[in-house]
Amino acid sequence: MNSRALRRIGLVAGVATTSAIVLAGCSGGGDQAASGGDSDTVTLATFNDFGYTDELLAEFTEETGIKVVHTKAATSNDARTNFFQKLGKTGLADVEGVEVDWFPEMMQYSDLVAPVPDELAGRWLDWKEKAATDAEGNLVAYGTDVGPQAVCYRSDLFEAAGLPTDREEVAKLFPTWDAFFQVGSDYVAKTGQPFIDSANSVLQGVVNQLDVAYEEPDGTVIATENPDIREAYDTVVDKAIPISAYAGQWSDDWYASMASGQFAAMLCPPWMLGIIEGEAPDIAGWDIANAFPEGGGNWGGSYLVVPANGKNLTNAQKLADWLTSPETQIKAFNNAGTFPSQPEAQSSPDLTGSVNEYFNNAPSGQIGIDRANAITVTTFKGPKYFQFHDALGNAITRVFDGIEDKETSWKTWVTEVGAF
């Protein structure tokens, strides 16, 4: 399917914006840059935290004379709403961030984004690049980060609960999901406080260890019949909800609880490190265990794309190229913990020797490398992955909130899947 089959997506128009900043390190000589009539200002739209600080983008301006207006949506969901409303029309930024869970949906319309210049092919991990190559063999997206998961934990809260605090000892606590849930259950029983931040983060972790989740590679929808998905749902409802502070992440209450230090552990891809530090700068005790239940898993990671009908294609491609170069990705990692998807960046001493002062001087770079090497499964995600998975998360939220019981909420989800 391509843009000719693009269906209208009736979603809310507004996107919550946390920042919109013009960076002008070098003043341009006029309204047009020298390259192909492009404007000397390009727009960039991301979400959450890609590590693209004002200072980093100012470096691009200083090097190129091209200003950057950076807008951040509050969440990936907000960014998705905006992206699919405007793709192929007007109103998108010159460079757009796309999250991996809805990236397969975007790939249906790959002819609406500009191909990546041929000379950049081979810059990224093979599987990252393969996912961004369309049926015609065009590489259409610039890989930013990947999300090899570890476990972040509060050493002070662990100590108060009689748990080990040394990161190597903590890592031994979580060889399996059953072991993880047992530690969490014991913690809640002893302290009366939630162990982990979010039940749906566990759903994400479990599903990302499956070969196939909701759709087969041939397009067959198996969501409601896949026993692995039913088992994942049962596990989260029965074992994760009782030890969780919230059903999901990204709410105002979730951020406030992080800032006040309410929960003891989080499932932690590298990009989460910057969010924790940014939201809880005054909370001491966070550390990182080089472990993940059942071995390894990838959560998240994103791409940059350049809409093909943009008015600043040349300068937009320059920005996307620059932001996903190995050198810049190391800087983004230092800013926000976003783990690079470029092999050259992953072998950099800046990454292998990286230590995160906020997380008790944890060797965050090497932990990310080790967790990436532990990943043995790349879950197949079809075009409807985002809708199916988001709806299943909502089913878990209904149970968490007491709106529906376990079986009723599952049946509601089954009905929703049939309507997609």
Side-chain angles (χ1 to χ4, degrees):
M1 184 183 296
N2 59 25
S3 65
R4 295 165 190 80
L6 180 60
R7 56 197 179 278
R8 183 177 300 275
I9 300 177
L11 297 168
V12 179
V15 173
T17 301
T18 59
S19 64
I21 303 164
V22 179
L23 301 167
C26 289
S27 59
D31 289 338
Q32 300 297 313
S35 57
D38 280 17
S39 168
D40 64 355
T41 298
V42 295
T43 53
L44 168 68
T46 63
F47 47 87
N48 295 343
D49 190 353
F50 279 52
Y52 302 158
T53 61
D54 301 352
E55 293 77 13
L56 181 64
L57 295 177
E59 291 182 29
F60 175 76
T61 302
E62 184 175 357
E63 292 180 20
T64 64
I66 302 168
K67 309 179 194 75
V68 181
V69 178
H70 183 201
T71 302
K72 281 202 296 186
T75 69
S76 169
N77 286 21
D78 290 332
R80 174 182 174 270
T81 298
N82 184 69
F83 184 84
F84 285 112
Q85 280 185 330
K86 298 175 181 177
L87 180 63
K89 302 169 189 172
T90 60
L92 287 180
D94 295 315
V95 180
E96 287 274 342
V98 177
E99 205 268 335
V100 66
D101 280 355
W102 44 278
F103 185 76
E105 188 179 359
M106 194 244 29
M107 286 297 291
Q108 295 179 99
Y109 318 117
S110 61
D111 58 326
L112 295 179
V113 297
V116 175
D118 291 341
E119 62 269 20
L120 298 185
R123 170 181 281 183
W124 296 278
L125 294 168
D126 289 345
W127 62 267
K128 186 82 169 178
E129 198 163 298
K130 180 180 179 181
T133 302
D134 68 13
E136 284 71 44
N138 297 310
L139 179 63
V140 298
Y142 304 72
T144 58
D145 61 318
V146 291
Q149 293 239 66
V151 178
C152 291
Y153 66 98
R154 286 275 304 279
S155 59
D156 54 332
L157 297 183
F158 269 44
E159 182 176 20
L163 293 168
T165 60
D166 176 79
R167 66 176 67 98
E168 292 186 5
E169 293 301 313
V170 172
K172 297 176 183 178
L173 296 176
F174 308 126
T176 64
W177 284 113
D178 283 343
F180 180 86
F181 294 131
Q182 187 62 58
V183 171
S185 180
D186 291 345
Y187 178 91
V188 172
K190 185 164 187 176
T191 67
Q193 297 297 313
F195 178 68
I196 193 171
D197 67 311
S198 159
N200 272 321
S201 71
V202 176
L203 176 69
Q204 189 79 49
V206 172
V207 170
N208 280 337
Q209 291 177 326
L210 303 178
D211 290 308
V212 177
Y214 306 111
E215 299 162 270
E216 296 277 12
D218 66 2
T220 303
V221 174
I222 60 168
T224 61
E225 293 142 14
N226 185 350
D228 291 334
I229 289 297
R230 179 67 210 227
E231 183 180 358
Y233 174 81
D234 290 344
T235 296
V236 173
V237 170
D238 295 340
K239 298 182 179 180
I241 283 180
I243 64 172
S244 298
Y246 299 97
Q249 298 172 317
W250 320 120
S251 67
D252 289 343
D253 287 343
W254 178 81
Y255 281 114
S257 291
M258 187 184 299
S260 63
Q262 180 183 1
F263 34 78
M266 297 177 66
L267 303 182
C268 254
W271 51 263
M272 187 65 82
L273 305 184
I275 293 173
I276 295 172
E277 181 176 359
E279 296 297 328
D282 299 324
I283 297 297
W286 278 109
D287 208 325
I288 311 169
N290 190 352
F292 193 71
E294 311 295 345
N298 184 79
W299 177 20
S302 299
Y303 292 87
L304 299 178
V305 298
V306 176
N309 64 346
K311 296 181 179 179
N312 300 305
L313 286 179
T314 302
N315 287 343
Q317 288 180 316
K318 286 182 181 179
L319 177 60
D321 175 358
W322 189 87
L323 287 172
T324 60
S325 68
E327 298 79 11
T328 304
Q329 282 297 287
I330 288 294
K331 294 177 181 178
F333 170 79
N334 289 334
N335 290 336
T338 50
F339 195 77
S341 61
Q342 302 81 3
E344 183 178 336
Q346 291 190 8
S347 63
S348 167
D350 287 345
L351 185 65
T352 59
S354 179
V355 171
N356 193 307
E357 182 179 358
Y358 176 86
F359 286 87
N360 192 29
N361 294 314
S364 53
Q366 189 59 53
I367 289 174
I369 293 169
D370 291 345
R371 301 326 308 154
N373 289 335
I375 296 171
T376 58
V377 173
T378 302
T379 307
F380 175 77
K381 296 181 178 180
K384 293 185 178 180
Y385 175 90
F386 180 90
Q387 293 99 311
F388 294 149
H389 188 75
D390 191 54
L392 188 59
N394 291 339
I396 288 167
T397 299
R398 290 192 296 271
V399 179
F400 186 97
D401 292 341
I403 296 172
E404 293 180 342
D405 62 32
K406 176 181 170 181
E407 288 305 315
T408 302
S409 197
W410 172 265
K411 291 177 181 176
T412 301
W413 177 71
V414 170
T415 300
E416 290 172 341
V417 167
F420 284 133

